Amino acid sequence: MSWQTYVDEHLMCETEGHHLTAAAIMGLDGSIWAKSASFPEVKSEEINNIVKDFDEPGTLAPTGLFIDAAKYMVIQGEPGVVIRGKKGTGGITIKKTNQALIFGLYDEPMTPGQCNLVVERLGDYLSDQGL
């Protein structure tokens, strides 16, 4: 299965009548493996900061998480495994696997829990596959 298929069929899929607004799978070096058409341009510095927070949990909390200069307030996650952020009526979930970062962005009416489920389920599957 191609990486684009994972984005299209497993991240951008319908969940209880709702969809993510954007999704991507990236290497830990920031290389884009696949993304939805609506996924924002991410700067390398933003990816570096996200990877640093996975290595040193809590580094993003004071400044916020930035994606294409959009600021998300960092909320509870699993240190070293999942970063969650909130911005207005939407938010972001990022799951780290052995080799990749799985991104899901959402807006109402999708809930944070639905976004978490979609992103973390795929991340857990890829981790189980050694990816």
Side-chain angles (χ1 to χ4, degrees), residues 5 9 23 49 85-86 104:
T5 303
E9 295 181 7
N49 290 338
K86 186 84 173 124

Side-chain angles (χ1 to χ4, degrees), residues 3-4 7-8 11-12 20-25 32-41 103-105:
W3 291 115
Q4 192 62 50
V7 169
D8 296 342
L11 293 175
M12 297 302 291
L20 294 174
T21 55
I25 301 173
I32 297 174
W33 295 2
K35 66 178 185 164
S36 65
S38 55
F39 194 77
E41 291 299 317
F103 289 78
L105 283 74

Side-chain angles (χ1 to χ4, degrees), residues 16-94:
E16 298 175 22
H18 309 298
H19 295 85
L20 294 174
T21 55
I25 301 173
M26 294 184 188
L28 297 177
D29 62 356
S31 60
I32 297 174
W33 295 2
K35 66 178 185 164
S36 65
S38 55
F39 194 77
E41 291 299 317
V42 182
K43 298 168 185 59
S44 60
E45 178 184 335
E46 294 169 337
I47 295 298
N48 292 340
N49 290 338
I50 290 166
V51 171
K52 181 179 180 183
D53 193 80
F54 279 115
D55 294 339
E56 301 170 35
T59 57
L60 286 177
T63 59
L65 163 67
F66 289 86
I67 297 289
D68 194 26
K71 183 178 181 179
Y72 293 82
M73 178 179 66
V74 178
I75 55 177
Q76 120 290 345
E78 293 175 56
V81 181
V82 176
I83 298 171
R84 297 184 183 111
K86 186 84 173 124
K87 177 179 170 278
T89 59
I92 186 169
T93 301
I94 308 168

